[in-house]
Amino acid sequence: MPRFTPFRAVRYPTDTNFDAVVAPPYDVLSAEQVRYHHDRDPHNITRIDVPTGDDRYARAGALYRQWLDEGVLVADEAPTLTVYRLRFTDPTGAERTISGVLGGLEVVDEGAGGVLPHERTTPKASTDRLDLTRATGANLSPVWGLSLAAGLTDLLAEPGEPVAAVTDDADGFRVEHLLERITDPDRIAAITELIGTDDVLIADGHHRYGVARSYRDEVRTATGRTDTAAEDTLVFVNELVADQLSVAAIHRLYRGIAADTLRSAIGDRFDLAALDADHPDARPDPATLARMEAEGFLTLITAEGAWTMTPKPGAFDDVRALDGVWLEETLADLTAEVSYQHGVEEVLSAVGSGDAVAGVLIRPVGVAEIERTAREGLLMPPKSTFFTPKLKTGFVIRDLS
């Protein structure tokens, strides 16, 4: 089972205007958004986490060390854990609170168990995160992990020392980000011991965790040691429980194939019907997603229209009941290029502009299915889940020196 440890967290001082210095994770920021955050404050975390221009990694590392020297960032006096709560009303109107904890999670070899991927990942050739880790000697953006150990939520219920708070609407709905420091050794021990009793499933940040593995191996080779800070990486862990998590679907876009060919292949396993029989030109909207959940269909979108996709009786009797798996099975013999998009409007825009030949809206994966897949040691298709809201970068940094 994975080791979970406290560490001397590096933070902005508690009197900081956190709204000006923290930011969404690097992998959801456009170039324009990066510029916006760079300009918000001379100490915005993106200046280190998403550096730009020539020699950007060296400059990011130098800036990180400068901020430490100047007191812009300060390290806790002793190893701590940090409770991170996200309070929000999800798109369905349900009020949720995600209560998790930031600590150092063991970096394990691929396939070793303890820390599990929950979906197949798409290759990423970029060494950006590894170069940044080398230059800064720090974990800047947390991986999001789901603990399969029951009882973590209860252990985190008691408030800790408030250290930061931000409220924003960046994820399409209002989100409160609340950070609390835990210094009590007994409470730290109880939390770390519980997390260490069962697997942790990576919800978001598979690439970051893979980078941590590469960095750990580099440090082992350079030092001959297996007891450095690189043996763990910064992870937010919360309990895998349905009432906390808000899981959205990531829809499919198809290119490099004729729309008629794609529709014909889909028709082999799905019954197709107009999305709205009374209005043939009707296009999907957010209400369509609710219909899909209630009535059990997917939605095909092409330039010619939109159709419900209802599985034919017996079509997937021997296939796991996941929309992404059904699509892979249905289109296995085609050479279409597939990409991923989590917004309905973005899918409509891609198809309407001709950037994509077709799109398929799928339903979100339930928490029970996420746990079942993990327990059975299986992987979902790439981009099966989109966990919201996103954690902020900058609240807690884990120094590796």
Side-chain angles (χ1 to χ4, degrees), residues 52-97:
T52 58
D54 296 335
D55 299 322
R56 58 186 178 275
Y57 302 113
R59 288 188 293 101
L63 190 59
Y64 172 60
R65 289 181 284 275
Q66 177 184 329
W67 288 2
L68 286 171
D69 291 341
E70 295 176 349
V72 174
L73 296 171
V74 294
D76 288 348
E77 294 182 358
T80 60
L81 294 176
T82 303
V83 177
Y84 188 159
R85 306 185 199 278
L86 300 103
R87 294 178 180 163
F88 60 102
T89 301
D90 73 15
T92 71
E95 293 185 1
R96 298 183 185 271
T97 298

Side-chain angles (χ1 to χ4, degrees), residues 81 92 128 190 224 260 286 354 383:
L81 294 176
T92 71
D128 169 68
D260 288 346
K383 305 294 184 181

